[in-house]
Amino acid sequence: MIEFDVPVDGVRLHAYDTGGDGAPIVWHHGTPNLGAPPEPLFAAADRLGLRWVSYDRPGYGGSTPAPGRDFASAAHYTAAVAGHLGLGRYAVFGHSGGGPHALACAALLPDRVFAAVSVSGLAPIDADGLDWFAGMAPASEATLRASAAGRTARERHEATAEKDGDIGFADVDWAALEGEWGWFGSVVGPAIAAGPAAQIDDDLANAGPWGFDPATITVPVLLHHGERDRMVPSTHSAWLAGRIPGARFQRWPDDGHVSVLRHAGGALDWLASYL
C-alpha cells in the first residue's frame, strides 16, 4: 500500500492506495478513525479484483483540519484524491460516520461513482418522520445532542463527559473487536491519541446540514445495518432506504454497529456486480 498527500483548497489530504489495476473503491472511515482502508476486507477485494483507495478526513492523521466541513465536502475531497490517481469511475463504501460521506459522493459525483455502500450510517438530523435520537445509547445520544447545539456545547461536553459511558456496542460488537475487526485498534487508537478536534468536526457534521439531499442519488445504493446497533439505530438506514430511489436495505437482526461488518464481503460482491 502506498501513502501520499494531495493538496486541495488549502487542505492537505493524506491518502492511501492498495494499488493494482482493479476497479477502485473509496473507503470512507468512521468516527474517530484514521482513513487507512479496511484490512479485514483486503482478501475479499483481491478475490473480486478490487482496489482500495482512501484518505484521512481533514484533521485526522496526516490531513490538515478544515473546521466547518460538512458531508458534501467529501465529494470534493474524494474527487481530488481520485483525480490525483487518474481514476475514472469508482465505488464508495462508508462505515458509521463514513456512511453519509459515501452517500454524499453518490449524490454529488454521479458521473464518477458507479455504486455506494453505507454500513451503520446516520440519517439527516432533520429527517422528516424519524425520531433521530430514539434507540441511541446514553453516551452516543449525549454527544450528538451536544453537537446539535453547536461547537461551544460540543467542546464543553468533550471536557466534562464521562469517558467510559455506554456508547451502544452490543456483545457481538465486542466479540468482533476481539477477532479480525480488532484492526480498528490500529485506526481508532491513533485518532483518539491525537486529541478530540477532528472528532468534534465529525460530530458537528453528523448533527448539522448534510449539504445534499439523499433523494437526489441516482446510482445504486446498498444500506446494511444491525438491528442491535444502539450507537446508530437501524431506523436511520430504514429512513434512508425510503428516501433514496431504488436503495436496497439489508437488516441483520443479530448484529450491532461493528459486527455487521462480517457481512461486508457480500456488500463487495454487490458492488462488483455493477462493474
Side-chain angles (χ1 to χ4, degrees):
M1 181 166 63
I2 62 169
E3 300 184 29
F4 55 97
D5 291 338
V6 178
V8 51
D9 293 345
V11 174
R12 183 188 69 248
L13 296 178
H14 187 71
Y16 309 79
D17 178 15
T18 57
D21 56 3
I25 304 176
V26 180
W27 168 255
H28 291 274
H29 65 83
T31 303
N33 290 188
L34 302 185
E39 289 185 11
L41 297 179
F42 281 9
D46 288 345
R47 172 177 57 82
L48 295 165
L50 302 173
R51 164 188 181 183
W52 288 105
V53 173
S54 60
Y55 63 91
D56 299 330
R57 276 198 298 278
Y60 286 110
S63 295
T64 53
R69 56 182 167 83
D70 60 9
F71 292 140
S73 67
H76 190 52
Y77 298 139
T78 296
V81 172
H84 179 87
L85 292 171
L87 304 180
R89 299 179 72 236
Y90 42 87
V92 289
F93 192 126
H95 173 243
S96 188
H101 290 88
L103 295 179
C105 295
L108 301 174
L109 300 172
D111 294 335
R112 295 294 187 181
V113 173
F114 65 82
V117 174
S118 172
V119 178
S120 307
L122 287 160
I125 195 168
D126 59 354
D128 184 37
L130 174 66
D131 186 346
W132 202 73
F133 294 104
M136 285 187 187
S140 294
E141 179 178 352
T143 296
L144 289 171
R145 285 193 181 278
S147 302
R151 183 175 295 275
T152 299
R154 178 63 181 83
E155 290 175 346
R156 184 184 304 115
H157 175 78
E158 185 66 27
T160 60
E162 295 288 340
K163 302 305 180 185
D164 57 353
D166 178 8
I167 61 173
F169 282 172
D171 54 354
V172 288
D173 292 319
W174 294 115
L177 291 168
E178 291 175 359
E180 63 176 345
W181 287 101
W183 165 81
F184 272 116
S186 69
V187 293
V188 174
I192 292 174
Q199 182 174 356
I200 289 173
D201 286 341
D202 266 1
D203 284 336
L204 293 173
N206 288 337
W210 277 27
F212 72 98
D213 184 346
T216 65
I217 296 175
T218 57
V219 305
V221 170
L222 174 63
L223 303 159
H224 274 209
H225 220 120
E227 292 282 2
R228 297 182 64 191
D229 190 342
R230 293 169 54 247
M231 179 176 281
V232 178
S234 63
T235 50
H236 286 243
S237 284
W239 186 91
L240 287 166
R243 183 74 175 175
I244 300 170
R248 178 180 174 186
F249 178 30
Q250 178 65 66
R251 302 173 188 262
W252 299 99
D254 298 324
D255 285 299
H257 194 74
V258 174
S259 70
V260 70
L261 286 166
R262 63 184 173 177
H263 307 291
L268 292 182
D269 288 329
W270 178 86
L271 281 177
S273 73
Y274 288 94
L275 291 175

